[in-house]
Amino acid sequence: MKFKIVPVLVLCCWFSGYSQNVDSLKKILNQFSQANALDSSRCSVLLILTEYAPEGEWEGYNAELKKISEANLKSKTLDRSKIRFFKSCLADAFNGEGFICQTSKSNSFKALENYRKSLTLREEIGDTLGIAESYNNIGGVYENQGNITKSIEYYHKSLRLNNLLKNNYGIAITLSNVGRIYSQQKNEDKALEYFQSSLVKHRESKNEEGEAITYNNIAVVYYKMGDTLKALYSYEKSLVLQDRLGNKPSKALLLNNIGLIFLNKGNFEKAIFNFNEGLEISEQSAYVKGIIFSLFNIGRFYTDKKNYSLAIFYTKKSLKLAAESGSSEDILHSSRALKKLYQTVNNYLAAYEMSELSSKMHDSIQNEYAKKENIRRQFQYEFDEKERILGQEQEAEKEIQKALFIQKQQYTVIVFVLIVFVLFTTFSAIYFRTVIVKRKRELAYKLLVKDSEIKALQAQMNPHFIFNSLNSGLELVRTSQKEKALSYLTKFSKLIRMILESSNKKMISLTEEIQILELYIELENMRFGDCFSYSLKVHKDLDADNIEIPALITQPFIENAILHGLQNKRSTCSEEGKSYKPQLDITLKRMDSYLKCVIEDNGIGRKKANEIKSKKLFHHQSLGMEVTKSRLNLVDENKSSVNFFDLVDSNEESAGTRVELNIPINEMF
């Protein structure tokens, strides 16, 4: 039986050690389905299951992932982050479908179609790592079709991207694929070079599975080159790794390959030991291919020992299993071996039957090979023809460009003289006009900034808030809650003092802004009876002490979330007898040269808040947010922005509001 290079697949192999985690994920997915959880949560679990669930199960999870992703992408209410997420999920699902078509060999063109759909989606969302994976998978399909030229082209595309990303795992996979092609082309020196480079990258990425596969491939190359000592060493290195990983099918194949080396060296004791151990492991793991391989090799062992009855017994068992599994190559090897054995024992009728069977299998395999070869030649011809036409077009384009360049040179001198004259006569007028306009803009800018700051201060601490805060303090005194009243009024006075101090500054440190916000939120929470929960998260990479932002820039948005979002929903739920836990979350994170502030509440939503506001006879008109937008634009129109997002639940009901502010910052050091 022929030695085989183990194919390097993009999807991870399944190991029994993951079964416990997979079972837990299945339970979580079931709970999500029963509770009508968000589709994004279900997709996150499905992504892991498609990666680690065993063969026969992950395909179903992949189909479910595709269905959910396609359904969500039809919605017109998704924000950009959700669109990107579901496109990424759909790209992975198409990748999985391509893998199914490719490994089942049902339709290589369908596999190529799915891989290209995955590639298109990954290009749309800028997923460079995914693009590299898609290139590699497309190269694999072309390799299976026999189109080696296109296969190498896509493998090298994948290799270039993985090198840019410094993705050692991706580099290692692609190097192994290229090495496999060179081995198939009988260029063993080049194949060995690529496999050894792949091995280095697998070690750097600590990928033991990749190391084990690559050691096996290196062993096959050494065996083909006649260096059985190095082949044996590489097989044993692979065996140790596969044993550690618990990959029994691969371990069984390796034991058989090691046994064949010992058999060829005449070491019968070690040969039969490895064959029997490989058979035992294959039977334990129900690995049919390994059982066929082991039985065939045991039959070969007894043939070399001239024990023809046992040789025929084991080879017949190998043939029977090969026929049941429909493996044409294994049927061919076993029938050929039995033909020679029957001839040796003078059973010519049985030898004739095996000769007929082997001829039939040989013709079937050759027909399949001829089909692939025809496809390869067709693709090669088309590729070469396209290259030839492209080369002619490029040469014609060069001639046209050369003629245009000469023509342009003739006009250059005339045009240059005219341009110089026009520039000289208009330069003075443009210069003085620019200076005047610039001075007017600077003056207008200073006036607008000053006016905006005054309006912002008035909007941030409006009389409505001060009146309600003082009333809340007095109520605590009247109800004999002296300690709470004292704490409340102390914090209130501290907040007033901090705001008045910051009002004289255009920029304050982020630490000061956070302190003001925390005091303000605490007071509002105390004023409403500690009815809501809140969190203020500052990213660990954010140096709040050494960053300045415009003073009191975020308070109006937080005030709006509490008064119009949380309190309105609290009142509505109370009237309807529904339970409700108000929540306010604030996140601060640095994004290059600006601060990203995200304010999210689970309140009533903007639409219903406006409806409630419109029904009131008297209502306070807050200009704080509009003034703040103007201030941000004046500071830096290009970097600053304010974006509102209406949140919805799985029933498309309002689930609150998220505000994202991009605030320009100054470094203090």
Side-chain angles (χ1 to χ4, degrees):
M1 185 171 284
K2 295 180 180 178
F3 284 66
K4 296 183 178 179
I5 299 287
V6 178
V8 181
L9 304 176
V10 174
L11 294 181
C12 295
C13 295
W14 168 256
F15 300 120
S16 59
Y18 290 117
S19 59
Q20 187 175 356
N21 292 332
V22 168
D23 290 339
S24 300
L25 287 168
K26 289 178 185 177
K27 291 178 182 178
I28 293 171
L29 182 63
N30 188 45
Q31 290 170 0
F32 280 170
S33 299
Q34 292 175 353
N36 292 321
L38 292 174
D39 284 347
S40 57
S41 301
R42 292 169 64 197
C43 283
S44 297
V45 177
L46 286 168
L47 281 168
I48 302 173
L49 285 171
T50 57
E51 185 78 8
Y52 294 115
E55 190 173 344
E57 289 186 21
W58 75 264
E59 295 88 345
Y61 296 126
N62 192 76
E64 188 176 353
L65 178 67
K66 180 187 175 186
K67 181 180 177 182
I68 295 172
S69 300
E70 287 180 330
N72 276 275
L73 287 170
K74 290 177 182 177
S75 172
K76 296 180 180 180
T77 59
L78 290 178
D79 58 40
R80 282 181 293 180
S81 62
K82 285 291 174 62
I83 291 172
R84 177 183 171 82
F85 174 77
F86 285 116
K87 279 191 175 183
S88 177
C89 291
L90 185 58
D92 286 350
F94 278 129
N95 190 68
E97 287 199 347
F99 180 79
I100 292 167
C101 294
Q102 185 178 6
T103 52
S104 64
K105 297 180 181 178
S106 59
N107 192 335
S108 62
F109 293 101
K110 191 70 176 175
L112 189 61
E113 180 185 341
N114 281 297
Y115 283 145
R116 288 197 179 281
K117 286 180 180 178
S118 178
L119 174 62
T120 300
L121 287 167
R122 286 166 170 175
E123 287 174 338
E124 286 177 5
I125 62 176
D127 179 9
T128 311
L129 189 62
I131 293 169
E133 181 189 20
S134 294
Y135 282 152
N136 185 75
N137 293 345
I138 291 170
V141 175
Y142 280 126
E143 181 185 345
N144 291 341
Q145 291 178 345
N147 190 349
I148 302 304
T149 305
K150 292 290 283 185
S151 177
I152 291 289
E153 176 190 340
Y154 274 91
Y155 283 150
H156 279 293
K157 281 184 177 182
S158 176
L159 196 58
R160 280 194 295 272
L161 278 183
N162 281 313
N163 276 317
L164 285 172
L165 296 168
K166 297 182 179 178
N167 175 26
N168 285 335
Y169 175 76
I171 295 169
I173 293 294
T174 309
L175 287 171
S176 285
N177 289 343
V178 177
R180 188 175 63 252
I181 288 178
Y182 279 117
S183 182
Q184 291 167 355
Q185 299 296 313
K186 305 189 186 308
N187 189 341
E188 306 303 344
D189 290 329
K190 200 72 176 175
L192 188 61
E193 178 187 333
Y194 274 93
F195 284 139
Q196 287 174 337
S197 298
S198 174
L199 184 63
V200 172
K201 293 299 179 182
H202 278 307
R203 285 174 180 166
E204 289 177 0
S205 59
K206 294 181 171 47
N207 178 18
E208 289 192 340
E209 178 196 356
E211 275 191 73
I213 292 171
T214 308
Y215 267 124
N216 183 84
N217 293 343
I218 290 171
V220 173
V221 172
Y222 276 130
Y223 188 85
K224 287 182 177 181
M225 296 170 74
D227 194 336
T228 55
L229 189 62
K230 287 184 179 178
L232 184 61
Y233 170 81
S234 298
Y235 275 136
E236 288 175 344
K237 292 285 285 186
S238 180
L239 183 63
V240 170
L241 290 166
Q242 295 289 16
D243 188 45
R244 188 186 303 163
L245 292 166
N247 192 348
K248 289 185 177 181
S250 293
K251 184 180 177 183
L253 290 177
L254 285 164
L255 286 166
N256 273 278
N257 286 345
I258 292 169
L260 284 170
I261 290 178
F262 284 125
L263 184 63
N264 291 334
K265 284 178 170 288
N267 191 335
F268 296 109
E269 185 178 347
K270 286 187 177 181
I272 194 63
F273 174 81
N274 281 280
F275 293 150
N276 283 329
E277 189 175 356
L279 178 61
E280 183 181 351
I281 291 171
S282 296
E283 288 174 340
Q284 287 173 356
S285 56
Y287 180 44
V288 177
K289 186 75 175 177
I291 297 172
I292 295 170
F293 195 19
S294 300
L295 289 170
F296 180 86
N297 289 333
I298 293 171
R300 181 174 170 181
F301 166 81
Y302 283 115
T303 300
D304 288 1
K305 294 284 285 183
K306 301 189 185 308
N307 188 339
Y308 299 118
S309 59
L310 281 176
I312 291 171
F313 173 76
Y314 280 102
T315 310
K316 281 178 71 177
K317 288 182 72 175
S318 172
L319 177 61
K320 182 182 177 183
L321 271 178
E324 289 173 357
S325 66
S327 174
S328 300
E329 286 190 2
D330 291 327
I331 294 171
L332 175 63
H333 297 314
S334 297
S335 59
R336 279 180 173 175
L338 280 170
K339 172 190 170 183
K340 291 180 181 178
L341 285 167
Y342 284 133
Q343 286 174 341
T344 303
V345 297
N346 299 322
N347 188 344
Y348 296 109
L349 179 60
Y352 174 76
E353 290 176 355
M354 290 300 103
S355 177
E356 288 291 307
L357 179 59
S358 63
S359 296
K360 180 181 177 182
M361 289 300 105
H362 179 266
D363 291 342
S364 174
I365 293 169
Q366 284 298 110
N367 288 337
E368 185 66 27
Y369 173 79
K371 288 179 183 177
K372 285 188 176 182
E373 183 63 18
N374 286 334
I375 293 171
R376 187 195 70 77
R377 287 174 179 172
Q378 179 184 348
F379 275 116
Q380 186 65 51
Y381 173 77
E382 291 175 359
F383 181 74
D384 291 343
E385 187 65 16
K386 286 179 181 178
E387 287 291 300
R388 184 184 65 79
I389 294 170
L390 181 62
Q392 291 176 347
E393 290 175 350
Q394 288 175 343
E395 285 298 321
E397 182 67 22
K398 285 180 182 178
E399 291 297 322
I400 293 170
Q401 291 298 327
K402 185 177 179 181
L404 288 173
F405 178 74
I406 294 170
Q407 188 178 21
K408 285 179 181 179
Q409 280 185 323
Q410 294 173 349
Y411 291 107
T412 300
V413 176
I414 299 171
V415 173
F416 178 75
V417 172
L418 290 173
I419 290 173
V420 170
F421 176 76
V422 172
L423 289 175
F424 180 78
T425 55
T426 59
F427 176 79
S428 299
I430 294 172
Y431 173 76
F432 287 115
R433 179 182 173 84
T434 303
V435 170
I436 293 169
V437 170
K438 184 178 179 182
R439 287 178 180 175
K440 286 182 178 180
R441 284 180 179 174
E442 287 175 350
L443 181 59
Y445 175 83
K446 290 177 181 178
L447 291 172
L448 282 170
V449 169
K450 190 65 177 179
D451 185 55
S452 178
E453 289 173 344
I454 293 169
K455 289 179 181 178
L457 179 59
Q458 292 171 343
Q460 288 152 358
M461 290 303 296
N462 58 67
H464 181 72
F465 167 73
I466 297 172
F467 178 80
N468 287 339
S469 298
L470 289 173
N471 275 347
S472 297
L474 291 171
E475 181 62 24
L476 291 171
V477 173
R478 279 197 297 270
T479 55
S480 300
Q481 300 180 56
K482 293 181 180 179
E483 290 185 4
K484 197 170 182 180
L486 180 61
S487 173
Y488 183 91
L489 293 172
T490 301
K491 289 181 178 179
F492 178 75
S493 62
K494 184 178 179 182
L495 176 62
I496 295 294
R497 186 179 68 253
M498 291 179 72
I499 289 177
L500 290 174
E501 287 175 355
S502 65
S503 67
N504 295 322
K505 306 174 185 176
K506 291 183 180 179
M507 307 288 284
I508 62 172
S509 71
L510 181 57
T511 300
E512 292 177 275
E513 179 80 359
I514 292 170
Q515 290 172 350
I516 292 173
L517 291 181
E518 288 178 334
L519 264 177
Y520 172 76
I521 296 170
E522 285 180 26
L523 281 170
E524 288 289 57
N525 204 11
M526 290 176 69
R527 184 158 74 89
F528 291 110
D530 294 323
C531 69
F532 65 86
S533 301
Y534 67 90
S535 67
L536 200 161
K537 298 177 183 177
V538 182
H539 197 270
K540 61 182 180 179
D541 295 331
L542 198 58
D543 188 358
D545 292 329
N546 293 312
I547 288 175
E548 285 185 334
I549 63 172
L552 307 173
I553 202 74
T554 57
Q555 185 271 339
F557 298 93
I558 296 171
E559 176 186 351
N560 192 66
I562 295 170
L563 299 183
H564 302 296
L566 301 181
Q567 292 306 318
N568 279 340
K569 187 162 185 176
R570 181 180 172 223
S571 300
T572 303
C573 289
S574 177
E575 291 171 2
E576 295 175 356
K578 296 180 180 178
S579 62
Y580 172 55
K581 294 181 180 180
Q583 179 68 35
L584 176 67
D585 296 310
I586 304 163
T587 306
L588 300 173
K589 182 178 181 181
R590 179 163 185 166
M591 304 292 287
D592 296 326
S593 60
Y594 63 88
L595 175 72
K596 184 164 189 173
C597 174
V598 179
I599 303 164
E600 186 170 313
D601 66 78
N602 66 343
I604 201 165
R606 293 191 297 166
K607 183 178 179 182
K608 288 189 178 181
N610 288 332
E611 290 175 2
I612 293 170
K613 186 176 179 181
S614 65
K615 292 177 182 179
K616 292 181 179 180
L617 291 175
F618 301 98
H619 59 267
H620 167 67
Q621 184 177 1
S622 175
L623 299 174
M625 289 193 295
E626 292 302 319
V627 171
T628 301
K629 290 180 186 178
S630 299
R631 290 178 65 201
L632 283 171
N633 286 335
L634 287 169
V635 174
D636 192 330
E637 187 175 0
N638 294 323
K639 292 182 181 178
S640 62
S641 65
V642 179
N643 295 303
F644 292 85
F645 299 93
D646 296 314
L647 307 179
V648 294
D649 58 20
S650 57
N651 296 319
E652 298 299 316
E653 295 290 331
S654 176
T657 306
R658 181 169 72 248
V659 184
E660 293 182 2
L661 289 84
N662 290 337
I663 305 168
I665 59 176
N666 285 341
E667 302 284 354
M668 295 172 66
F669 54 90

